[in-house]
Coordinates of all heavy atoms in Angstrom, one line a residue:
Y65 N 63.9 -7.2 -74.8 CA 63.4 -8.6 -74.7 C 63.8 -9.1 -73.3 O 64.7 -8.4 -72.8 CB 64.1 -9.5 -75.9 CG 65.6 -9.6 -75.7 CD1 66.2 -10.6 -74.9 CD2 66.4 -8.7 -76.3 CE1 67.6 -10.6 -74.8 CE2 67.7 -8.7 -76.2 CZ 68.3 -9.7 -75.5 OH 69.7 -9.8 -75.3
R66 N 63.3 -10.2 -72.9 CA 63.7 -10.8 -71.6 C 64.7 -11.8 -71.8 O 64.7 -12.6 -73.0 CB 62.5 -11.3 -70.9 CG 61.5 -10.2 -70.5 CD 60.5 -10.5 -69.5 NE 59.6 -9.5 -69.3 CZ 59.7 -8.4 -68.5 NH1 60.8 -8.3 -67.8 NH2 58.9 -7.5 -68.5
R67 N 65.6 -12.1 -70.9 CA 66.5 -13.2 -71.0 C 66.0 -14.5 -71.2 O 66.8 -15.4 -71.7 CB 67.6 -13.2 -69.9 CG 68.5 -11.9 -69.9 CD 69.8 -12.1 -69.2 NE 69.6 -12.5 -67.7 CZ 70.5 -13.0 -67.0 NH1 71.8 -13.2 -67.4 NH2 70.2 -13.2 -65.7
G68 N 64.8 -14.7 -70.8 CA 64.3 -16.0 -70.9 C 63.7 -16.4 -72.3 O 63.2 -17.6 -72.5
T69 N 63.7 -15.5 -73.2 CA 63.2 -15.6 -74.5 C 63.9 -16.8 -75.3 O 65.2 -16.7 -75.3 CB 63.1 -14.4 -75.3 OG1 62.7 -13.3 -74.5 CG2 62.3 -14.6 -76.6
G70 N 63.2 -17.6 -75.9 CA 64.0 -18.7 -76.8 C 64.7 -18.1 -77.9 O 64.2 -16.9 -78.4
S71 N 65.8 -18.6 -78.3 CA 66.6 -18.0 -79.2 C 66.1 -17.8 -80.7 O 66.5 -16.9 -81.4 CB 68.0 -18.7 -79.3 OG 67.8 -20.0 -79.5
V72 N 65.0 -18.7 -81.0 CA 64.4 -18.4 -82.4 C 63.6 -17.1 -82.3 O 63.2 -16.7 -83.5 CB 63.5 -19.6 -82.8 CG1 64.4 -20.9 -83.0 CG2 62.3 -19.8 -81.9
F73 N 63.3 -16.5 -81.2 CA 62.4 -15.3 -81.2 C 63.1 -14.0 -81.1 O 62.5 -13.0 -81.0 CB 61.5 -15.5 -79.9 CG 60.6 -16.7 -80.0 CD1 60.8 -17.8 -79.3 CD2 59.5 -16.6 -80.8 CE1 60.0 -18.9 -79.3 CE2 58.6 -17.7 -81.0 CZ 58.9 -18.9 -80.1
T74 N 64.4 -14.1 -81.0 CA 65.2 -12.8 -80.9 C 66.3 -12.8 -81.9 O 66.7 -13.9 -82.4 CB 65.9 -12.7 -79.4 OG1 66.7 -13.8 -79.3 CG2 64.8 -12.6 -78.4
G75 N 66.7 -11.6 -82.2 CA 67.8 -11.4 -83.1 C 69.2 -11.7 -82.5 O 69.2 -11.6 -81.3
Q76 N 70.1 -12.2 -83.1 CA 71.4 -12.4 -82.5 C 72.2 -11.2 -82.4 O 72.2 -10.3 -83.4 CB 72.2 -13.5 -83.4 CG 71.5 -14.8 -83.5 CD 71.1 -15.4 -82.2 OE1 72.0 -15.6 -81.3 NE2 69.8 -15.7 -82.0
R77 N 72.8 -11.0 -81.3 CA 73.7 -9.8 -81.0 C 73.0 -8.5 -81.4 O 73.6 -7.7 -82.1 CB 75.1 -9.9 -81.6 CG 76.0 -11.0 -81.0 CD 77.1 -11.3 -81.9 NE 76.8 -12.0 -83.1 CZ 76.6 -13.3 -83.2 NH1 76.8 -14.1 -82.0 NH2 76.3 -13.9 -84.1
G78 N 71.7 -8.3 -80.8 CA 71.1 -7.0 -81.0 C 70.5 -6.8 -82.4 O 70.0 -5.7 -82.8
Q79 N 70.7 -7.7 -83.4 CA 70.3 -7.6 -84.8 C 68.8 -7.9 -84.9 O 68.2 -8.6 -84.1 CB 71.1 -8.4 -85.8 CG 72.5 -8.2 -85.6 CD 73.2 -8.2 -86.9 OE1 73.0 -9.2 -87.6 NE2 74.1 -7.3 -87.1
N80 N 68.1 -7.5 -86.0 CA 66.8 -8.0 -86.3 C 66.8 -9.5 -86.5 O 67.7 -10.0 -87.1 CB 66.2 -7.2 -87.5 CG 65.9 -5.8 -87.2 OD1 65.8 -5.4 -86.0 ND2 65.5 -5.0 -88.1
V81 N 65.7 -10.1 -86.4 CA 65.5 -11.5 -86.7 C 65.6 -11.7 -88.3 O 65.3 -10.7 -89.0 CB 64.2 -12.1 -86.1 CG1 64.3 -12.2 -84.6 CG2 63.0 -11.4 -86.7
K82 N 65.9 -12.9 -88.7 CA 66.0 -13.1 -90.1 C 64.8 -14.0 -90.5 O 64.2 -14.8 -89.7 CB 67.2 -13.9 -90.4 CG 68.5 -13.2 -90.0 CD 69.1 -12.6 -91.2 CE 70.5 -11.9 -91.0 NZ 70.7 -11.2 -89.8
I83 N 64.5 -14.1 -91.8 CA 63.5 -15.0 -92.3 C 64.0 -16.4 -92.1 O 65.3 -16.6 -92.4 CB 63.3 -14.7 -93.9 CG1 62.6 -13.4 -94.2 CG2 62.5 -15.9 -94.5 CD1 61.2 -13.3 -94.0
I84 N 63.1 -17.4 -91.6 CA 63.8 -18.7 -91.5 C 63.1 -19.7 -92.5 O 61.9 -19.4 -92.9 CB 63.6 -19.2 -90.1 CG1 62.2 -18.8 -89.6 CG2 64.6 -18.8 -89.1 CD1 61.9 -19.6 -88.2
E85 N 63.8 -20.6 -92.8 CA 63.4 -21.6 -93.7 C 62.3 -22.4 -93.2 O 62.3 -22.9 -92.0 CB 64.6 -22.4 -94.1 CG 64.3 -23.3 -95.4 CD 65.6 -24.2 -95.7 OE1 66.8 -23.7 -95.4 OE2 65.4 -25.5 -96.0
P86 N 61.2 -22.6 -94.0 CA 60.0 -23.4 -93.4 C 60.5 -24.8 -93.1 O 61.4 -25.4 -93.8 CB 59.0 -23.4 -94.4 CG 59.5 -22.5 -95.5 CD 60.9 -22.2 -95.3
M87 N 59.8 -25.5 -92.2 CA 60.2 -26.9 -91.9 C 59.5 -27.8 -93.0 O 58.5 -27.4 -93.5 CB 59.6 -27.4 -90.5 CG 60.1 -26.5 -89.4 SD 61.9 -26.8 -89.1 CE 62.0 -28.6 -88.7
P88 N 60.1 -28.9 -93.3 CA 59.4 -29.9 -94.2 C 58.1 -30.3 -93.8 O 58.0 -30.2 -92.5 CB 60.5 -31.0 -94.5 CG 61.6 -30.8 -93.4 CD 61.4 -29.5 -92.9
D89 N 57.3 -30.9 -94.5 CA 55.9 -31.4 -94.1 C 56.0 -32.4 -92.9 O 55.2 -32.3 -92.0 CB 55.3 -32.1 -95.3 CG 54.8 -31.0 -96.1 OD1 54.8 -29.9 -95.8 OD2 54.4 -31.5 -97.4
K90 N 57.0 -33.3 -92.9 CA 57.0 -34.3 -91.8 C 58.4 -34.1 -91.2 O 59.2 -35.1 -91.4 CB 56.8 -35.7 -92.3 CG 55.3 -35.9 -92.9 CD 55.1 -37.3 -93.4 CE 53.7 -37.3 -93.9 NZ 53.4 -38.5 -94.7
P91 N 58.5 -33.2 -90.4 CA 59.9 -32.9 -89.9 C 60.3 -33.9 -88.9 O 59.6 -34.4 -88.1 CB 59.7 -31.5 -89.3 CG 58.4 -31.3 -89.0 CD 57.6 -32.1 -89.9
T92 N 61.7 -34.2 -89.0 CA 62.3 -35.1 -88.1 C 63.2 -34.3 -87.1 O 63.4 -33.1 -87.2 CB 63.3 -36.1 -88.9 OG1 64.2 -35.2 -89.6 CG2 62.5 -36.8 -90.0
L93 N 63.7 -35.1 -86.2 CA 64.6 -34.4 -85.2 C 65.8 -33.8 -85.9 O 66.2 -32.7 -85.6 CB 65.1 -35.5 -84.2 CG 66.1 -35.1 -83.2 CD1 65.5 -34.1 -82.2 CD2 66.7 -36.1 -82.4
Q94 N 66.4 -34.5 -86.9 CA 67.4 -34.0 -87.7 C 67.1 -32.6 -88.4 O 67.9 -31.8 -88.4 CB 68.1 -35.0 -88.6 CG 68.7 -36.0 -88.0 CD 67.8 -37.3 -87.7 OE1 66.6 -37.2 -87.4 NE2 68.4 -38.6 -87.5
D95 N 65.8 -32.5 -88.9 CA 65.3 -31.4 -89.5 C 65.3 -30.2 -88.6 O 65.8 -29.1 -88.8 CB 64.1 -31.5 -90.1 CG 63.9 -32.5 -91.3 OD1 64.9 -32.5 -92.1 OD2 62.9 -33.1 -91.5
F96 N 64.9 -30.5 -87.4 CA 64.9 -29.4 -86.3 C 66.3 -29.0 -85.9 O 66.6 -27.8 -85.7 CB 64.1 -29.9 -85.1 CG 62.6 -29.6 -85.2 CD1 61.7 -30.6 -85.7 CD2 62.1 -28.3 -85.0 CE1 60.4 -30.3 -85.8 CE2 60.7 -28.1 -85.1 CZ 59.9 -29.2 -85.5
F97 N 67.3 -29.9 -85.9 CA 68.6 -29.6 -85.7 C 69.1 -28.7 -86.7 O 69.7 -27.7 -86.4 CB 69.5 -30.9 -85.6 CG 69.8 -31.4 -84.1 CD1 68.9 -32.2 -83.5 CD2 71.0 -30.9 -83.5 CE1 69.2 -32.5 -82.2 CE2 71.2 -31.3 -82.2 CZ 70.3 -32.1 -81.5
R98 N 68.8 -29.0 -87.9 CA 69.3 -28.2 -89.1 C 68.7 -26.8 -89.1 O 69.4 -25.9 -89.4 CB 69.1 -28.9 -90.4 CG 69.8 -28.4 -91.7 CD 69.7 -29.4 -92.7 NE 68.4 -30.0 -92.9 CZ 67.5 -29.5 -93.7 NH1 67.8 -28.3 -94.3 NH2 66.3 -29.9 -93.9
L99 N 67.4 -26.8 -88.9 CA 66.6 -25.5 -89.3 C 66.2 -24.7 -87.9 O 65.9 -23.6 -88.2 CB 65.3 -25.8 -90.1 CG 65.6 -26.5 -91.4 CD1 64.4 -27.0 -92.0 CD2 66.4 -25.6 -92.3
R100 N 66.2 -25.3 -86.7 CA 65.8 -24.5 -85.7 C 66.7 -24.5 -84.5 O 66.8 -23.6 -83.7 CB 64.4 -25.0 -85.1 CG 63.2 -24.7 -86.2 CD 63.1 -23.4 -86.4 NE 61.9 -23.1 -87.2 CZ 62.0 -23.1 -88.6 NH1 63.2 -23.3 -89.1 NH2 60.9 -22.9 -89.3
F101 N 67.6 -25.5 -84.3 CA 68.6 -25.8 -83.2 C 69.8 -25.2 -83.6 O 70.7 -24.9 -82.8 CB 68.6 -27.0 -82.6 CG 67.4 -27.7 -82.2 CD1 67.1 -29.1 -82.2 CD2 66.3 -26.9 -81.7 CE1 65.9 -29.7 -81.8 CE2 65.1 -27.4 -81.2 CZ 64.9 -28.8 -81.3
A102 N 70.1 -25.1 -84.9 CA 71.5 -24.7 -85.4 C 71.9 -23.4 -84.8 O 71.1 -22.5 -84.5 CB 71.4 -24.5 -86.9
P103 N 73.3 -23.3 -84.6 CA 74.3 -24.2 -84.9 C 74.5 -25.4 -84.0 O 75.1 -26.4 -84.4 CB 75.6 -23.4 -84.9 CG 75.3 -22.3 -83.9 CD 73.8 -22.0 -84.0
A104 N 73.7 -25.3 -82.8 CA 73.7 -26.4 -81.9 C 75.1 -27.0 -81.5 O 75.3 -28.2 -81.1 CB 72.9 -27.6 -82.5
N105 N 76.1 -26.0 -81.6 CA 77.5 -26.6 -81.3 C 77.6 -27.0 -79.9 O 78.3 -28.0 -79.6 CB 78.4 -25.3 -81.4 CG 79.1 -25.3 -82.9 OD1 79.4 -26.3 -83.3 ND2 79.1 -24.2 -83.5
H106 N 76.9 -26.3 -79.0 CA 77.2 -26.7 -77.6 C 76.6 -28.1 -77.3 O 77.3 -29.0 -76.7 CB 76.3 -25.7 -76.7 CG 76.2 -26.2 -75.3 ND1 77.3 -26.4 -74.4 CD2 75.1 -26.6 -74.5 CE1 76.8 -26.8 -73.3 NE2 75.6 -26.9 -73.3
V107 N 75.4 -28.5 -77.7 CA 74.9 -29.9 -77.5 C 75.7 -30.9 -78.3 O 76.0 -32.0 -77.9 CB 73.5 -30.0 -77.8 CG1 72.7 -29.2 -76.7 CG2 73.0 -29.5 -79.2
L108 N 76.2 -30.6 -79.6 CA 77.0 -31.5 -80.4 C 78.3 -31.8 -79.7 O 78.8 -33.0 -79.6 CB 77.2 -31.0 -81.8 CG 75.8 -31.0 -82.6 CD1 76.1 -30.2 -83.9 CD2 75.4 -32.5 -82.9
Q109 N 78.9 -30.7 -79.1 CA 80.2 -30.9 -78.5 C 80.0 -31.7 -77.2 O 80.9 -32.5 -76.9 CB 80.8 -29.5 -78.2 CG 81.5 -29.0 -79.5 CD 82.3 -27.7 -79.2 OE1 83.0 -27.5 -78.2 NE2 82.4 -26.9 -80.1
S110 N 78.9 -31.4 -76.4 CA 78.7 -32.1 -75.2 C 78.4 -33.7 -75.5 O 79.1 -34.5 -74.8 CB 77.5 -31.6 -74.5 OG 77.7 -30.3 -74.1
A111 N 77.8 -33.9 -76.6 CA 77.4 -35.4 -76.9 C 78.7 -36.0 -77.5 O 78.9 -37.2 -77.2 CB 76.3 -35.4 -77.9
T112 N 79.5 -35.3 -78.2 CA 80.8 -35.8 -78.6 C 81.6 -36.2 -77.5 O 82.3 -37.3 -77.5 CB 81.5 -34.8 -79.6 OG1 80.7 -34.5 -80.6 CG2 82.8 -35.2 -80.0
R113 N 81.7 -35.3 -76.5 CA 82.5 -35.7 -75.3 C 82.0 -36.8 -74.6 O 82.7 -37.8 -74.1 CB 82.5 -34.5 -74.4 CG 83.4 -34.6 -73.1 CD 83.4 -33.5 -72.2 NE 84.3 -33.4 -71.2 CZ 84.3 -34.1 -70.0 NH1 83.2 -34.8 -69.8 NH2 85.2 -34.1 -69.2
A114 N 80.6 -37.0 -74.5 CA 80.0 -38.1 -73.8 C 80.3 -39.4 -74.6 O 80.5 -40.4 -74.0 CB 78.4 -37.9 -73.8
M115 N 80.3 -39.3 -75.9 CA 80.7 -40.5 -76.7 C 82.1 -40.9 -76.4 O 82.5 -42.1 -76.2 CB 80.5 -40.2 -78.1 CG 80.2 -41.3 -79.0 SD 79.8 -40.8 -80.7 CE 78.4 -41.8 -80.9
K116 N 83.0 -39.9 -76.3 CA 84.5 -40.2 -76.2 C 84.7 -40.8 -74.8 O 85.7 -41.5 -74.7 CB 85.3 -38.9 -76.3 CG 85.6 -38.5 -77.8 CD 86.8 -37.5 -77.9 CE 86.9 -37.0 -79.2 NZ 86.9 -35.5 -79.3
T117 N 83.9 -40.4 -73.8 CA 84.2 -40.8 -72.5 C 83.4 -42.1 -72.2 O 83.3 -42.5 -71.1 CB 83.9 -39.6 -71.4 OG1 82.6 -39.2 -71.6 CG2 84.8 -38.4 -71.5
G118 N 82.8 -42.7 -73.2 CA 82.2 -44.0 -73.0 C 80.9 -44.0 -72.2 O 80.5 -44.9 -71.5
M119 N 80.1 -43.0 -72.3 CA 78.8 -42.9 -71.7 C 77.9 -43.9 -72.4 O 78.0 -44.3 -73.5 CB 78.2 -41.5 -71.8 CG 79.0 -40.4 -71.1 SD 79.1 -40.6 -69.3 CE 80.8 -40.9 -69.0
S120 N 76.7 -44.3 -71.7 CA 75.7 -45.0 -72.1 C 75.0 -44.3 -73.4 O 75.0 -43.1 -73.3 CB 74.7 -45.5 -71.0 OG 73.9 -44.4 -70.8
E121 N 74.3 -45.1 -74.0 CA 73.6 -44.4 -75.1 C 72.6 -43.6 -74.8 O 72.2 -42.5 -75.4 CB 73.0 -45.4 -76.2 CG 74.1 -46.3 -76.9 CD 73.7 -47.0 -78.2 OE1 72.4 -47.2 -78.4 OE2 74.6 -47.3 -79.0
E122 N 71.9 -43.8 -73.6 CA 70.8 -42.9 -73.0 C 71.4 -41.6 -72.7 O 70.9 -40.6 -72.8 CB 70.2 -43.5 -71.8 CG 69.1 -44.6 -72.2 CD 69.8 -46.0 -72.0 OE1 71.0 -46.1 -72.2 OE2 69.0 -47.0 -71.9
I123 N 72.6 -41.7 -72.1 CA 73.2 -40.4 -71.7 C 73.8 -39.6 -72.9 O 73.7 -38.4 -72.9 CB 74.5 -40.7 -70.7 CG1 73.9 -41.3 -69.3 CG2 75.3 -39.4 -70.4 CD1 73.1 -40.4 -68.7
I124 N 74.3 -40.3 -73.8 CA 74.8 -39.6 -75.1 C 73.6 -38.8 -75.7 O 73.8 -37.7 -76.2 CB 75.5 -40.5 -76.0 CG1 76.7 -41.2 -75.4 CG2 75.7 -39.9 -77.3 CD1 77.4 -42.3 -76.3
L125 N 72.5 -39.6 -75.7 CA 71.3 -38.9 -76.3 C 70.9 -37.8 -75.5 O 70.5 -36.7 -76.1 CB 70.1 -39.9 -76.4 CG 68.9 -39.5 -77.1 CD1 69.1 -39.1 -78.6 CD2 67.7 -40.5 -77.0
A126 N 71.0 -37.9 -74.1 CA 70.6 -36.8 -73.3 C 71.4 -35.7 -73.4 O 71.0 -34.5 -73.6 CB 70.5 -37.3 -71.8
C127 N 72.7 -35.8 -73.7 CA 73.7 -34.7 -73.8 C 73.4 -34.1 -75.2 O 73.4 -32.9 -75.3 CB 75.2 -35.4 -73.9 SG 75.7 -35.8 -72.2
L128 N 73.1 -34.8 -76.2 CA 72.7 -34.3 -77.6 C 71.5 -33.4 -77.5 O 71.4 -32.5 -78.3 CB 72.5 -35.4 -78.5 CG 72.2 -35.1 -79.9 CD1 73.4 -34.5 -80.7 CD2 71.8 -36.4 -80.8
L129 N 70.6 -33.7 -76.6 CA 69.3 -32.9 -76.5 C 69.1 -32.0 -75.5 O 68.2 -31.2 -75.4 CB 68.1 -34.0 -76.5 CG 68.1 -35.0 -77.5 CD1 66.9 -36.1 -77.3 CD2 67.9 -34.5 -78.9
H130 N 70.1 -32.1 -74.4 CA 69.8 -31.4 -73.1 C 69.4 -29.9 -73.2 O 68.8 -29.5 -72.3 CB 71.0 -31.7 -72.2 CG 72.2 -30.9 -72.4 ND1 73.1 -31.1 -73.4 CD2 72.6 -29.8 -71.8 CE1 74.0 -30.2 -73.2 NE2 73.8 -29.3 -72.2
D131 N 70.0 -29.1 -74.2 CA 69.7 -27.7 -74.1 C 69.1 -27.2 -75.4 O 68.8 -26.1 -75.6 CB 71.0 -26.9 -74.0 CG 71.5 -26.9 -72.6 OD1 70.9 -27.1 -71.7 OD2 72.8 -26.5 -72.5
C132 N 68.5 -28.2 -76.2 CA 67.9 -27.8 -77.5 C 66.6 -26.9 -77.3 O 66.4 -26.1 -78.2 CB 67.4 -29.1 -78.3 SG 68.8 -30.0 -79.0
V133 N 65.9 -27.1 -76.2 CA 64.8 -26.4 -75.9 C 65.0 -24.8 -75.7 O 64.2 -24.0 -75.7 CB 64.0 -26.9 -74.7 CG1 64.5 -26.5 -73.4 CG2 62.4 -26.7 -74.8
L134 N 66.4 -24.5 -75.5 CA 66.7 -23.1 -75.3 C 66.2 -22.3 -76.6 O 66.1 -21.1 -76.6 CB 68.1 -22.9 -75.0 CG 68.7 -23.5 -73.7 CD1 70.1 -23.4 -73.6 CD2 67.9 -22.9 -72.5
S135 N 66.1 -22.9 -77.8 CA 65.5 -22.2 -78.9 C 64.2 -21.8 -78.6 O 63.7 -20.8 -79.2 CB 65.6 -23.2 -80.1 OG 66.8 -23.5 -80.5
L136 N 63.4 -22.6 -77.8 CA 62.0 -22.2 -77.6 C 61.8 -21.2 -76.3 O 61.1 -20.3 -76.3 CB 61.1 -23.6 -77.4 CG 59.8 -23.4 -77.0 CD1 59.0 -23.0 -78.3 CD2 59.3 -24.9 -76.7
I137 N 62.5 -21.7 -75.2 CA 62.4 -21.0 -74.0 C 63.5 -21.3 -73.0 O 64.0 -22.4 -73.1 CB 60.9 -21.3 -73.3 CG1 60.6 -20.4 -72.1 CG2 60.9 -22.9 -72.9 CD1 59.2 -20.3 -71.8
K138 N 63.9 -20.3 -72.2 CA 65.0 -20.6 -71.3 C 64.8 -20.9 -69.8 O 65.5 -21.8 -69.4 CB 66.0 -19.4 -71.5 CG 66.6 -19.5 -72.9 CD 67.5 -18.3 -73.2 CE 68.0 -18.4 -74.7 NZ 68.6 -17.2 -75.1
P139 N 63.8 -20.3 -69.2 CA 63.6 -20.5 -67.8 C 63.3 -21.9 -67.6 O 62.5 -22.5 -68.4 CB 62.6 -19.6 -67.2 CG 62.5 -18.5 -68.4 CD 62.9 -19.1 -69.6
D140 N 63.8 -22.6 -66.6 CA 63.4 -24.1 -66.4 C 63.5 -25.0 -67.5 O 62.7 -25.8 -67.9 CB 61.9 -24.2 -65.8 CG 61.9 -24.0 -64.3 OD1 62.7 -24.5 -63.7 OD2 60.9 -23.5 -63.8
H141 N 64.6 -24.7 -68.2 CA 64.9 -25.4 -69.4 C 65.1 -26.9 -69.3 O 64.8 -27.8 -70.2 CB 66.0 -25.0 -70.3 CG 67.3 -25.2 -69.7 ND1 67.9 -24.7 -68.6 CD2 68.3 -26.1 -70.1 CE1 69.0 -25.2 -68.4 NE2 69.5 -26.1 -69.3
G142 N 65.3 -27.4 -68.1 CA 65.4 -28.8 -67.8 C 64.0 -29.5 -68.0 O 63.8 -30.4 -68.7
W143 N 63.1 -28.9 -67.3 CA 61.8 -29.4 -67.4 C 61.1 -29.3 -68.7 O 60.4 -30.2 -69.2 CB 60.9 -28.6 -66.3 CG 61.0 -29.1 -64.9 CD1 60.3 -30.1 -64.3 CD2 61.9 -28.8 -63.9 NE1 60.7 -30.5 -63.0 CE2 61.7 -29.5 -62.7 CE3 63.0 -27.8 -63.8 CZ2 62.5 -29.5 -61.5 CZ3 63.8 -27.7 -62.6 CH2 63.4 -28.6 -61.6
W144 N 61.3 -28.1 -69.3 CA 60.7 -27.9 -70.6 C 61.3 -28.8 -71.7 O 60.7 -29.4 -72.5 CB 61.0 -26.4 -71.1 CG 60.1 -25.4 -70.6 CD1 60.2 -24.5 -69.5 CD2 58.8 -25.0 -71.2 NE1 59.3 -23.6 -69.4 CE2 58.3 -23.9 -70.3 CE3 58.0 -25.4 -72.3 CZ2 57.1 -23.3 -70.5 CZ3 56.8 -24.8 -72.5 CH2 56.4 -23.7 -71.6
G145 N 62.7 -29.0 -71.6 CA 63.4 -29.8 -72.5 C 63.0 -31.3 -72.4 O 62.6 -32.1 -73.3
A146 N 62.7 -31.8 -71.1 CA 62.3 -33.1 -70.9 C 60.9 -33.3 -71.5 O 60.6 -34.4 -72.1 CB 62.4 -33.4 -69.3
Q147 N 60.1 -32.2 -71.1 CA 58.7 -32.4 -71.8 C 58.7 -32.4 -73.2 O 57.9 -33.3 -73.9 CB 58.0 -31.2 -71.2 CG 56.5 -31.3 -71.4 CD 55.7 -30.0 -71.0 OE1 56.3 -29.1 -70.5 NE2 54.4 -30.0 -71.3
L148 N 59.5 -31.7 -73.9 CA 59.5 -31.6 -75.3 C 59.9 -33.0 -75.9 O 59.4 -33.5 -76.9 CB 60.6 -30.6 -75.8 CG 60.9 -30.5 -77.3 CD1 59.7 -29.8 -78.1 CD2 62.0 -29.6 -77.6
F149 N 60.8 -33.7 -75.3 CA 61.4 -35.0 -75.8 C 60.7 -36.2 -75.2 O 60.9 -37.3 -75.8 CB 63.0 -35.0 -75.7 CG 63.7 -34.0 -76.4 CD1 64.4 -32.9 -75.8 CD2 63.6 -34.0 -77.9 CE1 65.1 -32.0 -76.6 CE2 64.3 -33.2 -78.6 CZ 65.0 -32.1 -78.0
E150 N 60.1 -36.0 -74.0 CA 59.7 -37.2 -73.4 C 58.9 -38.3 -74.3 O 59.1 -39.4 -74.0 CB 58.7 -36.8 -72.1 CG 58.8 -37.7 -71.0 CD 58.6 -36.8 -69.7 OE1 57.8 -35.8 -69.6 OE2 59.3 -37.1 -68.6
P151 N 57.9 -37.9 -75.1 CA 57.2 -38.9 -75.8 C 58.0 -39.8 -76.7 O 57.6 -40.7 -77.2 CB 56.2 -38.1 -76.6 CG 56.1 -36.7 -75.9 CD 57.5 -36.5 -75.4
Y152 N 59.4 -39.3 -77.0 CA 60.1 -40.0 -78.0 C 61.4 -40.7 -77.6 O 62.0 -41.3 -78.4 CB 60.5 -39.0 -79.1 CG 59.2 -38.1 -79.4 CD1 59.2 -36.8 -79.0 CD2 58.2 -38.7 -80.3 CE1 58.0 -36.1 -79.4 CE2 57.1 -37.8 -80.6 CZ 57.0 -36.6 -80.0 OH 56.0 -35.9 -80.5
I153 N 61.7 -40.5 -76.2 CA 63.1 -40.9 -75.9 C 62.9 -41.9 -74.6 O 61.9 -41.9 -74.0 CB 63.9 -39.8 -75.6 CG1 63.5 -38.9 -74.5 CG2 64.2 -39.0 -76.9 CD1 64.5 -37.8 -74.0
P154 N 64.0 -42.6 -74.3 CA 64.0 -43.5 -73.0 C 63.7 -42.7 -71.8 O 64.2 -41.5 -71.7 CB 65.3 -44.1 -73.1 CG 65.9 -43.9 -74.4 CD 65.3 -42.8 -75.0
E155 N 63.2 -43.3 -70.8 CA 62.8 -42.6 -69.6 C 64.1 -42.0 -68.9 O 64.1 -40.9 -68.4 CB 62.1 -43.6 -68.6 CG 61.2 -43.0 -67.7 CD 60.6 -44.0 -66.7 OE1 60.5 -45.3 -67.1 OE2 60.3 -43.6 -65.6

Side-chain angles (χ1 to χ4, degrees):
Y65 61 91
R66 296 194 188 276
R67 284 205 301 171
T69 313
S71 54
V72 295
F73 298 102
T74 56
Q76 300 304 304
R77 288 169 288 277
Q79 307 218 312
N80 284 351
V81 294
K82 301 259 187 316
I83 297 277
I84 42 173
E85 195 180 319
M87 299 297 298
D89 285 345
K90 293 179 181 172
T92 62
L93 178 66
Q94 288 88 332
D95 290 327
F96 274 94
F97 259 87
R98 190 167 52 85
L99 299 172
R100 295 298 181 270
F101 303 149
N105 266 317
H106 168 61
V107 288
L108 288 169
Q109 284 189 29
S110 298
T112 301
R113 185 181 191 279
M115 206 174 226
K116 275 196 196 133
T117 54
M119 298 290 115
S120 69
E121 295 200 340
E122 284 96 337
I123 292 299
I124 296 171
L125 183 67
C127 289
L128 182 68
L129 306 178
H130 78 282
D131 282 341
C132 288
V133 84
L134 296 178
S135 294
L136 180 67
I137 192 159
K138 293 179 180 170
D140 269 327
H141 75 287
W143 276 271
W144 281 95
Q147 190 183 354
L148 178 69
F149 292 114
E150 213 152 32
Y152 314 104
I153 62 176
E155 205 182 335

